[in-house]
Amino acid sequence: MSPSKAVPYKTYLEENELPRAWYNMRADMEKKPAPLLNPATLKPVSAEDLEKVFCRELVKQELDDTTPFIPIPQGIQDFYRMFRPSPLVRAYFLERALGTPAKIYYKFEGNNTSGSHKLNSAVAQAYYAKEQGLKGVTTETGAGQWGTALSMACAFYGLECKVFMVKCSYEQKPFRREVMRTYGASVTPSPSMETEAGRRINAAHPGTTGSLGCAISEAVEAAVSKDGFRYVLGSVLAQVLLHQSVIGLEAKKAFDKIGEKPDVIIGCAGGGSNLGGLIAPFMGEKLRGEADYRFIAVEPASCPSFTRGRYAYDFCDTGRVCPLQKMYTLGHDFIPSANHAGGLRYHGMSATLSELYAQGLMEAVSVEQTAVFEAAEKFARIEGILPAPESSHAIKAAIDEALRCKAEGREKTILFGLTGTGYFDMVAYGKYNDREMTDSIPTDAELEASFAKLPAAGR
Amino acid sequence: MSPSKAVPYKTYLEENELPRAWYNMRADMEKKPAPLLNPATLKPVSAEDLEKVFCRELVKQELDDTTPFIPIPQGIQDFYRMFRPSPLVRAYFLERALGTPAKIYYKFEGNNTSGSHKLNSAVAQAYYAKEQGLKGVTTETGAGQWGTALSMACAFYGLECKVFMVKCSYEQKPFRREVMRTYGASVTPSPSMETEAGRRINAAHPGTTGSLGCAISEAVEAAVSKDGFRYVLGSVLAQVLLHQSVIGLEAKKAFDKIGEKPDVIIGCAGGGSNLGGLIAPFMGEKLRGEADYRFIAVEPASCPSFTRGRYAYDFCDTGRVCPLQKMYTLGHDFIPSANHAGGLRYHGMSATLSELYAQGLMEAVSVEQTAVFEAAEKFARIEGILPAPESSHAIKAAIDEALRCKAEGREKTILFGLTGTGYFDMVAYGKYNDREMTDSIPTDAELEASFAKLPAAGR
């Protein structure tokens, strides 16, 4: 019963070992991600364009693709110390249950009240908004983790927080709303009738359950129409991947500490922030030719940006108020069927990850929802953590990889990102428990129709 | 902004520093807790009596008041390593917000899927049931943490798990039920019509929202009427306090590591398991005359066993099927008003803690619910963790103590137990957010009426 004593179940870094700078993958990319385009001029956006929407310091980070390390301000490091380091966990019991020769590790980001890795970027974005002297921020949230994380950060730094929550999540997760309210945020189901963008989407798609793309449009509109407010985003953007690099930096240092090295690194991908953060320093080594790793993005079959999308310029939001970004996209009008992995419902993907994928530096797989929940239940019972549906996509792929190792008799070391817990996803788990869960995959014709609406710059 | 660097925000023990034996406070008590009495004979219970209801090894632990250290089997240590050590946290930001010269520490037990310290004993009890070759266990749950913890442990060790859940919690926390189901448990609202005890209580108190006392009776009856089943209990019993001593043992070692020592130790008290576990090794020092500490039990004003109860023999359950225990009690028929701190609704108290309190070795205070939620909201916003309502009783008392230090200009070191998170308590938080929460305190006449029903042995 007792597993090897060589590596502890959990490795925590000491406080003085925590990262003091974020790592910016783009600095080591020979071919950089394509620039964001101004939707009116179709020219690369300027800092001035972006500062109308985003905080100044975050714009600087967004546009900086040459500085490899960006110092983490002390005020952010202090908040990080309240919930970081996160543990690097050796999944001894899962290995035993699968009978695999592979070593399985996961970096667990769920041990904070937001329930996920999202807090890493929320803290940074709220900090910079406060430093700029703003009154508050607006944002969208899908599954609710990002909204919760931002509410927590805003409460801490003393900022107002207005959250547009994708309607299907708002209805499935009433308790998420209460958490955000407890932290003093206001929460509106999206599409709402409060914004021009929301009213337009409601008119075009009556009864829609919403999408991240819609909610983004509403939040941006609400930010630019209010004095002293800016918009903040929980994924997709380069700045978010930058902040999330603390995940990978900690993981890498923990691996060094225990004298191990992952062969395969797996993460779920919605907008790409957790995956981009987890792989960052490892990808850096690969880009600099210092080491090799396999990277696998896992996405839901219901919203398969990498595996079935187009690599093209597209709007980041349904309302087309945001810059255009070159990315793997299903089309800005694509609304996935009501999938419970709310955080993975985004039509596009991080431009940085898209470029890495296009260059063949990263792989992608898509998995179906019922198989994901089966993996989630197995993991919960064996490893004692009830995972978020989003994270469970990575669990499913990691289990598949471990079973492949078993079949091939290969002793690989697998690292996956366990981004969060599923405590607010019990409606979805209930459906799974009651065997009422189904899969839904867009048809080729649906995707073609969506691709046809890509902006001219993207064809 | 940056706090002192001397002590880290969080102190984690290394895996090889984790406790390998539990500590049994009773061994160091000169005057022991009074023995349990057989309800039929009113004589001290024998191991044989108890083994009809409880697992063999647990009965041994229950009756052992002389062995100070009891080794933790490897199979339990392994599971512990999946979710332990828990961090000892320095509440730098709370200190700053209160402007207190006091140092505030908390031992945080909420970072596991059960959401609380309950898992420490659930793992132990399920392990011993499996070792005995049983098919399954039955139990009751109030707030749901214990039921969740037991479901997790049973899933891990491969046991059936039947949970009677106090009806008001069952209705307020539908998602708790789904978590338990995800772990393969069956959950029944109590009082139910499935047991003799449940039917009797339903007839006597139509429309009752239940209590832990009722649910215990049902679970015991279900266990003894099924082959290969035993009953397990999440609090009150000496065995549970024994298992929970890992909290205090870890905390004490962490304090030694950082070179500090608490002056005051505060914990919420329902049945007493978290408080008994947290204070155990410190109380041991006090009992042996090696050091002095103040210990404060915090209970809800709606269910004030220590502060307004009688120290007398009473039934542990409403249905009077369990042994009698000498304890601070409000009477086995006492049903508190529907208080949201579901885990603190028990009419009695650990016999060990009761005896320590009777000897003047421990203090107790009671606090009202709205003040508790006010403290909870403050704590969530400042320290970034949304606490369980139960735990928030300790937060409230710790804040009061820190403010007293401020008023008196005294630099004390306060340790409190943050037993769990409130992620499944959002109905209660929602009521607080909507300013619909009220306090409810039993009248003297109500308590007198309840005391009048104490068994003869208790008067």
Side-chain angles (χ1 to χ4, degrees):
Chain A
M1 173 119 192
S2 179
S4 150
K5 285 289 167 284
V7 171
Y9 281 72
K10 285 181 288 176
T11 302
Y12 286 103
L13 299 180
E14 299 289 327
E15 202 162 273
N16 58 20
E17 296 171 314
L18 295 185
R20 296 179 185 278
W22 293 300
Y23 169 64
N24 182 5
M25 267 191 291
R26 292 169 296 168
D28 285 312
M29 289 172 74
E30 210 161 311
K31 190 179 168 208
K32 310 284 183 191
L36 296 170
L37 301 185
N38 182 315
T41 63
L42 295 184
K43 298 232 166 88
V45 289
S46 64
E48 211 186 335
D49 290 340
L50 288 177
E51 283 176 11
K52 289 171 200 149
V53 178
F54 297 107
C55 303
R56 208 175 305 123
E57 195 60 31
L58 294 166
V59 169
K60 230 170 98 184
Q61 295 178 354
E62 191 64 32
L63 298 178
D64 183 346
D65 58 9
T66 55
T67 310
F69 286 96
I70 293 176
I72 306 173
Q74 189 61 47
I76 295 174
Q77 286 191 41
D78 286 345
F79 195 144
Y80 275 2
R81 275 151 185 63
M82 286 207 292
F83 69 100
R84 307 202 65 80
S86 73
L88 177 70
V89 186
R90 174 76 182 267
Y92 280 116
F93 290 113
L94 183 60
E95 290 173 16
R96 189 184 63 182
L98 299 174
T100 179
K103 296 177 193 170
I104 308 176
Y105 288 88
Y106 57 91
K107 180 73 171 161
F108 179 41
E109 292 289 316
N111 271 350
N112 67 70
T113 287
S114 80
S116 83
H117 67 292
K118 295 284 183 183
L119 196 52
N120 298 323
S121 187
V123 171
Q125 298 196 42
Y127 173 84
Y128 289 121
K130 188 65 183 178
E131 287 290 296
Q132 193 175 328
L134 297 175
K135 266 178 22 196
V137 291
T138 69
T139 199
E140 82 299 328
T141 197
Q145 280 103 332
W146 169 247
T148 312
L150 191 68
S151 307
M152 291 171 66
C154 286
F156 185 82
Y157 291 113
L159 285 166
E160 286 180 44
C161 181
K162 181 164 180 68
V163 181
F164 290 88
M165 186 169 185
V166 177
K167 197 178 272 175
C168 73
S169 290
Y170 184 90
E171 285 162 2
Q172 276 176 17
K173 302 181 176 185
F175 294 166
R176 274 275 181 210
R177 187 184 59 225
E178 288 307 330
V179 179
M180 293 187 249
R181 284 183 72 206
T182 299
Y183 282 95
S186 83
V187 190
T188 308
S190 167
S192 77
M193 298 305 276
E194 284 184 22
T195 66
E196 195 50 48
R199 288 188 289 271
R200 211 166 48 224
I201 294 161
N202 268 319
H205 304 273
T208 176
T209 54
S211 72
L212 278 177
C214 309
I216 292 173
S217 300
E218 292 208 88
V220 171
E221 187 184 326
V224 297
S225 60
K226 265 183 158 178
D227 250 8
F229 273 74
R230 289 294 183 284
Y231 166 68
V232 296
L233 181 65
S235 190
V236 183
L237 294 175
Q239 60 188 262
V240 184
L241 269 73
L242 177 73
H243 307 147
Q244 295 297 352
S245 69
V246 290
I247 305 172
L249 290 164
E250 278 187 9
K252 191 156 186 318
K253 201 171 268 188
F255 268 113
D256 290 346
K257 223 172 154 169
I258 57 176
E260 299 250 350
K261 185 181 162 299
D263 300 302
V264 192
I265 302 176
I266 298 171
C268 62
S273 78
N274 123 73
L275 179 65
L278 177 66
I279 68 174
F282 301 100
M283 182 62 88
E285 288 191 322
K286 185 165 177 164
L287 289 166
R288 296 188 303 270
E290 296 165 7
D292 197 20
Y293 302 94
R294 273 181 70 205
F295 301 102
I296 306 175
V298 192
E299 55 187 18
S302 59
C303 195
S305 323
F306 272 135
T307 50
R308 295 176 68 199
R310 291 274 168 86
Y311 190 33
Y313 266 106
D314 194 8
F315 293 99
C316 291
D317 62 322
T318 314
R320 291 179 286 178
V321 298
C322 290
L324 279 85
Q325 176 170 273
K326 191 173 177 194
M327 58 183 176
Y328 282 87
T329 177
L330 298 167
H332 58 272
D333 251 2
F334 180 79
I335 296 189
S337 75
N339 185 306
H340 298 295
L344 305 181
R345 288 165 57 83
Y346 187 59
H347 68 274
M349 183 56 64
S350 147
T352 307
L353 293 186
S354 292
E355 183 54 34
L356 292 168
Y357 182 66
Q359 292 179 26
L361 291 163
M362 205 174 78
E363 305 163 35
V365 296
S366 77
V367 290
E368 292 180 21
Q369 181 162 257
T370 48
V372 164
F373 271 84
E374 201 181 307
E377 184 190 86
K378 184 190 286 249
F379 184 82
R381 293 183 182 190
I382 293 169
E383 284 286 321
I385 296 172
L386 187 88
E390 293 85 357
S391 326
S392 303
H393 288 69
I395 295 174
K396 165 69 178 150
I399 289 177
D400 287 349
E401 188 66 27
L403 291 175
R404 215 167 294 125
C405 288
K406 183 182 181 178
E408 296 169 3
R410 296 174 61 178
E411 193 190 305
K412 284 195 223 163
T413 299
I414 300 168
L415 166 64
F416 72 89
L418 187 67
T419 54
T421 52
Y423 310 151
F424 290 91
D425 298 288
M426 298 320 298
V427 170
Y429 271 98
K431 276 196 187 163
Y432 178 76
N433 291 337
D434 291 332
R435 303 291 169 255
E436 285 169 8
M437 182 165 280
T438 55
D439 295 313
S440 73
I441 301 173
T443 64
D444 287 339
E446 280 164 356
L447 290 183
E448 285 304 327
S450 185
F451 294 146
K453 294 185 206 158
L454 284 172
R459 293 201 225 162
Chain B
M1 171 123 191
S2 180
S4 149
K5 284 290 167 285
V7 170
Y9 280 71
K10 287 181 287 177
T11 302
Y12 285 103
L13 300 180
E14 299 289 326
E15 201 161 273
N16 58 22
E17 296 172 313
L18 296 184
R20 294 176 187 279
W22 293 300
Y23 169 64
N24 183 5
M25 267 191 291
R26 293 169 295 169
D28 284 312
M29 291 171 73
E30 212 162 307
K31 188 179 171 208
K32 311 285 184 191
L36 296 169
L37 301 185
N38 182 315
T41 63
L42 296 183
K43 298 235 167 85
V45 287
S46 65
E48 211 185 337
D49 291 339
L50 287 177
E51 282 176 13
K52 289 170 199 151
V53 179
F54 297 106
C55 303
R56 208 176 305 122
E57 196 61 30
L58 294 166
V59 169
K60 232 171 93 184
Q61 294 178 354
E62 192 63 33
L63 299 178
D64 183 347
D65 58 10
T66 55
T67 311
F69 286 97
I70 294 176
I72 306 173
Q74 189 61 47
I76 295 174
Q77 286 191 42
D78 286 344
F79 195 143
Y80 275 2
R81 275 151 186 62
M82 284 207 294
F83 69 100
R84 308 203 64 82
S86 73
L88 178 70
V89 185
R90 174 76 182 267
Y92 280 116
F93 290 113
L94 183 61
E95 290 172 16
R96 190 185 60 181
L98 298 175
T100 178
K103 298 178 192 168
I104 308 176
Y105 288 89
Y106 56 92
K107 180 74 172 160
F108 180 40
E109 292 290 315
N111 271 349
N112 69 70
T113 287
S114 81
S116 83
H117 67 292
K118 295 284 184 182
L119 196 52
N120 298 324
S121 186
V123 171
Q125 297 195 43
Y127 173 84
Y128 290 121
K130 188 66 183 181
E131 287 290 295
Q132 193 175 327
L134 297 176
K135 269 183 10 204
V137 291
T138 69
T139 199
E140 83 298 329
T141 197
Q145 280 103 332
W146 169 246
T148 312
L150 191 68
S151 306
M152 291 171 66
C154 286
F156 185 83
Y157 292 114
L159 286 166
E160 287 180 42
C161 181
K162 182 166 180 66
V163 180
F164 290 88
M165 187 169 185
V166 177
K167 195 177 274 173
C168 72
S169 290
Y170 184 90
E171 285 162 3
Q172 276 177 15
K173 303 182 177 184
F175 294 165
R176 274 278 179 205
R177 187 184 58 226
E178 288 308 330
V179 179
M180 293 187 248
R181 284 183 71 206
T182 300
Y183 282 94
S186 83
V187 189
T188 308
S190 167
S192 77
M193 298 304 277
E194 283 183 25
T195 66
E196 194 51 46
R199 288 188 290 271
R200 212 167 46 223
I201 294 162
N202 267 319
H205 304 274
T208 175
T209 54
S211 73
L212 278 175
C214 308
I216 293 173
S217 300
E218 291 207 89
V220 170
E221 186 184 326
V224 299
S225 61
K226 266 181 156 179
D227 249 10
F229 274 74
R230 289 293 185 285
Y231 165 68
V232 296
L233 180 64
S235 190
V236 183
L237 295 175
Q239 60 187 265
V240 183
L241 269 73
L242 177 73
H243 306 147
Q244 295 297 353
S245 69
V246 290
I247 305 173
L249 290 164
E250 277 188 9
K252 191 157 186 318
K253 201 172 269 186
F255 269 112
D256 291 346
K257 224 173 153 169
I258 58 176
E260 299 251 350
K261 186 180 161 299
D263 299 302
V264 191
I265 303 176
I266 298 171
C268 62
S273 78
N274 123 73
L275 179 65
L278 176 67
I279 68 174
F282 302 99
M283 183 62 88
E285 287 191 323
K286 185 164 177 164
L287 289 166
R288 296 189 303 269
E290 296 164 8
D292 197 19
Y293 303 94
R294 271 181 71 205
F295 301 103
I296 306 175
V298 192
E299 55 186 17
S302 59
C303 196
S305 322
F306 271 135
T307 50
R308 295 177 67 199
R310 292 276 167 86
Y311 191 34
Y313 266 106
D314 193 7
F315 294 99
C316 291
D317 63 322
T318 315
R320 291 178 286 179
V321 299
C322 291
L324 280 85
Q325 177 172 274
K326 191 175 178 193
M327 59 184 173
Y328 282 85
T329 178
L330 299 167
H332 58 272
D333 250 1
F334 180 80
I335 295 189
S337 75
N339 185 306
H340 299 295
L344 305 180
R345 289 165 56 83
Y346 186 60
H347 68 274
M349 184 54 66
S350 147
T352 306
L353 293 186
S354 293
E355 182 54 34
L356 291 168
Y357 183 66
Q359 292 180 25
L361 292 162
M362 204 172 80
E363 305 163 35
V365 296
S366 76
V367 289
E368 291 180 24
Q369 181 162 257
T370 48
V372 164
F373 271 83
E374 200 182 308
E377 184 191 84
K378 184 191 286 252
F379 184 82
R381 293 183 180 190
I382 294 170
E383 284 287 320
I385 295 171
L386 186 88
E390 293 84 358
S391 325
S392 303
H393 288 69
I395 294 173
K396 165 68 180 152
I399 288 177
D400 288 349
E401 188 66 28
L403 291 176
R404 213 167 295 125
C405 287
K406 183 181 180 179
E408 297 170 3
R410 296 175 62 177
E411 193 191 305
K412 282 194 222 164
T413 299
I414 300 167
L415 165 64
F416 72 89
L418 187 67
T419 55
T421 52
Y423 309 151
F424 291 90
D425 299 287
M426 296 322 296
V427 170
Y429 271 97
K431 276 196 185 161
Y432 178 75
N433 291 337
D434 293 331
R435 303 289 171 255
E436 287 170 5
M437 182 165 279
T438 54
D439 296 313
S440 72
I441 301 172
T443 63
D444 287 339
E446 280 163 356
L447 290 183
E448 286 303 325
S450 186
F451 294 147
K453 295 185 205 160
L454 285 172
R459 293 198 227 164

